[in-house]
PDB file of all heavy atoms in Angstrom:
ATOM      1  N   SER A  30       9.139   4.239  -8.454  1.00 96.00           N
ATOM      2  CA  SER A  30       9.526   4.542  -9.909  1.00 96.00           C
ATOM      3  C   SER A  30       8.518   3.839 -10.901  1.00 96.00           C
ATOM      4  O   SER A  30       8.565   4.190 -12.130  1.00 96.00           O
ATOM      5  CB  SER A  30      10.855   3.862 -10.141  1.00 96.00           C
ATOM      6  OG  SER A  30      10.828   2.482  -9.971  1.00 96.00           O
ATOM      7  N   THR A  31       7.547   3.207 -10.451  1.00 97.00           N
ATOM      8  CA  THR A  31       6.441   2.766 -11.396  1.00 97.00           C
ATOM      9  C   THR A  31       5.257   3.482 -11.387  1.00 97.00           C
ATOM     10  O   THR A  31       4.278   3.214 -12.041  1.00 97.00           O
ATOM     11  CB  THR A  31       6.110   1.254 -11.130  1.00 97.00           C
ATOM     12  OG1 THR A  31       5.398   1.181  -9.751  1.00 97.00           O
ATOM     13  CG2 THR A  31       7.405   0.309 -11.070  1.00 97.00           C
ATOM     14  N   PHE A  32       5.205   4.543 -10.567  1.00 97.00           N
ATOM     15  CA  PHE A  32       4.055   5.399 -10.455  1.00 97.00           C
ATOM     16  C   PHE A  32       4.258   6.723 -11.108  1.00 97.00           C
ATOM     17  O   PHE A  32       5.264   7.449 -10.889  1.00 97.00           O
ATOM     18  CB  PHE A  32       3.689   5.682  -8.972  1.00 97.00           C
ATOM     19  CG  PHE A  32       3.156   4.459  -8.361  1.00 97.00           C
ATOM     20  CD1 PHE A  32       3.973   3.523  -7.636  1.00 97.00           C
ATOM     21  CD2 PHE A  32       1.775   4.173  -8.296  1.00 97.00           C
ATOM     22  CE1 PHE A  32       3.543   2.396  -7.071  1.00 97.00           C
ATOM     23  CE2 PHE A  32       1.234   3.047  -7.661  1.00 97.00           C
ATOM     24  CZ  PHE A  32       2.100   2.112  -7.098  1.00 97.00           C
ATOM     25  N   ALA A  33       3.243   7.206 -11.885  1.00 98.00           N
ATOM     26  CA  ALA A  33       3.264   8.571 -12.237  1.00 98.00           C
ATOM     27  C   ALA A  33       2.664   9.348 -11.134  1.00 98.00           C
ATOM     28  O   ALA A  33       1.841   8.880 -10.330  1.00 98.00           O
ATOM     29  CB  ALA A  33       2.278   8.761 -13.517  1.00 98.00           C
ATOM     30  N   MET A  34       3.037  10.600 -10.961  1.00 98.00           N
ATOM     31  CA  MET A  34       2.685  11.377  -9.789  1.00 98.00           C
ATOM     32  C   MET A  34       1.984  12.637 -10.277  1.00 98.00           C
ATOM     33  O   MET A  34       2.227  13.157 -11.397  1.00 98.00           O
ATOM     34  CB  MET A  34       3.907  11.775  -8.900  1.00 98.00           C
ATOM     35  CG  MET A  34       4.721  10.625  -8.460  1.00 98.00           C
ATOM     36  SD  MET A  34       3.733   9.613  -7.277  1.00 98.00           S
ATOM     37  CE  MET A  34       3.567  10.729  -6.013  1.00 98.00           C
ATOM     38  N   GLY A  35       1.126  13.192  -9.464  1.00 98.00           N
ATOM     39  CA  GLY A  35       0.346  14.389  -9.742  1.00 98.00           C
ATOM     40  C   GLY A  35       0.176  15.260  -8.645  1.00 98.00           C
ATOM     41  O   GLY A  35       0.278  14.843  -7.461  1.00 98.00           O
ATOM     42  N   TRP A  36      -0.004  16.608  -8.905  1.00 98.00           N
ATOM     43  CA  TRP A  36      -0.343  17.489  -7.870  1.00 98.00           C
ATOM     44  C   TRP A  36      -1.813  18.163  -8.290  1.00 98.00           C
ATOM     45  O   TRP A  36      -2.066  18.383  -9.428  1.00 98.00           O
ATOM     46  CB  TRP A  36       0.568  18.674  -7.738  1.00 98.00           C
ATOM     47  CG  TRP A  36       1.801  18.361  -7.097  1.00 98.00           C
ATOM     48  CD1 TRP A  36       3.035  18.049  -7.623  1.00 98.00           C
ATOM     49  CD2 TRP A  36       2.105  18.372  -5.693  1.00 98.00           C
ATOM     50  NE1 TRP A  36       3.931  17.777  -6.665  1.00 98.00           N
ATOM     51  CE2 TRP A  36       3.371  17.956  -5.416  1.00 98.00           C
ATOM     52  CE3 TRP A  36       1.173  18.625  -4.510  1.00 98.00           C
ATOM     53  CZ2 TRP A  36       3.991  17.812  -4.185  1.00 98.00           C
ATOM     54  CZ3 TRP A  36       1.816  18.532  -3.259  1.00 98.00           C
ATOM     55  CH2 TRP A  36       3.122  18.151  -3.040  1.00 98.00           C
ATOM     56  N   PHE A  37      -2.672  18.178  -7.242  1.00 98.00           N
ATOM     57  CA  PHE A  37      -4.024  18.633  -7.393  1.00 98.00           C
ATOM     58  C   PHE A  37      -4.239  19.732  -6.331  1.00 98.00           C
ATOM     59  O   PHE A  37      -3.554  19.742  -5.293  1.00 98.00           O
ATOM     60  CB  PHE A  37      -5.105  17.677  -7.398  1.00 98.00           C
ATOM     61  CG  PHE A  37      -5.022  16.680  -8.530  1.00 98.00           C
ATOM     62  CD1 PHE A  37      -4.069  15.598  -8.497  1.00 98.00           C
ATOM     63  CD2 PHE A  37      -5.877  16.759  -9.597  1.00 98.00           C
ATOM     64  CE1 PHE A  37      -4.005  14.725  -9.522  1.00 98.00           C
ATOM     65  CE2 PHE A  37      -5.857  15.905 -10.715  1.00 98.00           C
ATOM     66  CZ  PHE A  37      -4.855  14.922 -10.660  1.00 98.00           C
ATOM     67  N   ARG A  38      -5.262  20.617  -6.435  1.00 98.00           N
ATOM     68  CA  ARG A  38      -5.522  21.582  -5.487  1.00 98.00           C
ATOM     69  C   ARG A  38      -7.081  21.798  -5.394  1.00 98.00           C
ATOM     70  O   ARG A  38      -7.816  21.604  -6.358  1.00 98.00           O
ATOM     71  CB  ARG A  38      -4.871  22.871  -5.703  1.00 98.00           C
ATOM     72  CG  ARG A  38      -5.364  23.644  -6.935  1.00 98.00           C
ATOM     73  CD  ARG A  38      -4.439  24.906  -7.242  1.00 98.00           C
ATOM     74  NE  ARG A  38      -4.900  25.641  -8.324  1.00 98.00           N
ATOM     75  CZ  ARG A  38      -4.139  26.758  -8.823  1.00 98.00           C
ATOM     76  NH1 ARG A  38      -3.125  27.086  -8.323  1.00 98.00           N
ATOM     77  NH2 ARG A  38      -4.725  27.378  -9.889  1.00 98.00           N
ATOM     78  N   GLN A  39      -7.498  22.245  -4.199  1.00 98.00           N
ATOM     79  CA  GLN A  39      -8.950  22.513  -4.047  1.00 98.00           C
ATOM     80  C   GLN A  39      -9.024  23.721  -3.067  1.00 98.00           C
ATOM     81  O   GLN A  39      -8.579  23.657  -1.979  1.00 98.00           O
ATOM     82  CB  GLN A  39      -9.526  21.209  -3.400  1.00 98.00           C
ATOM     83  CG  GLN A  39     -11.090  21.386  -3.277  1.00 98.00           C
ATOM     84  CD  GLN A  39     -11.765  20.067  -2.975  1.00 98.00           C
ATOM     85  OE1 GLN A  39     -11.173  19.170  -2.354  1.00 98.00           O
ATOM     86  NE2 GLN A  39     -12.989  19.943  -3.399  1.00 98.00           N
ATOM     87  N   ALA A  40      -9.781  24.672  -3.601  1.00 97.00           N
ATOM     88  CA  ALA A  40      -9.996  25.893  -2.774  1.00 97.00           C
ATOM     89  C   ALA A  40     -11.453  25.646  -2.160  1.00 97.00           C
ATOM     90  O   ALA A  40     -12.260  24.914  -2.637  1.00 97.00           O
ATOM     91  CB  ALA A  40     -10.085  27.098  -3.780  1.00 97.00           C
ATOM     92  N   PRO A  41     -11.761  26.405  -1.145  1.00 91.00           N
ATOM     93  CA  PRO A  41     -13.066  26.198  -0.339  1.00 91.00           C
ATOM     94  C   PRO A  41     -14.213  26.507  -1.416  1.00 91.00           C
ATOM     95  O   PRO A  41     -14.208  27.501  -2.140  1.00 91.00           O
ATOM     96  CB  PRO A  41     -12.993  27.300   0.684  1.00 91.00           C
ATOM     97  CG  PRO A  41     -11.536  27.480   1.017  1.00 91.00           C
ATOM     98  CD  PRO A  41     -10.902  27.323  -0.360  1.00 91.00           C
TER      99      PRO A  41
END
Side-chain angles (χ1 to χ4, degrees):
S30 62
T31 67
F32 290 91
M34 303 296 296
W36 286 97
F37 295 79
R38 66 187 184 186
Q39 188 168 25

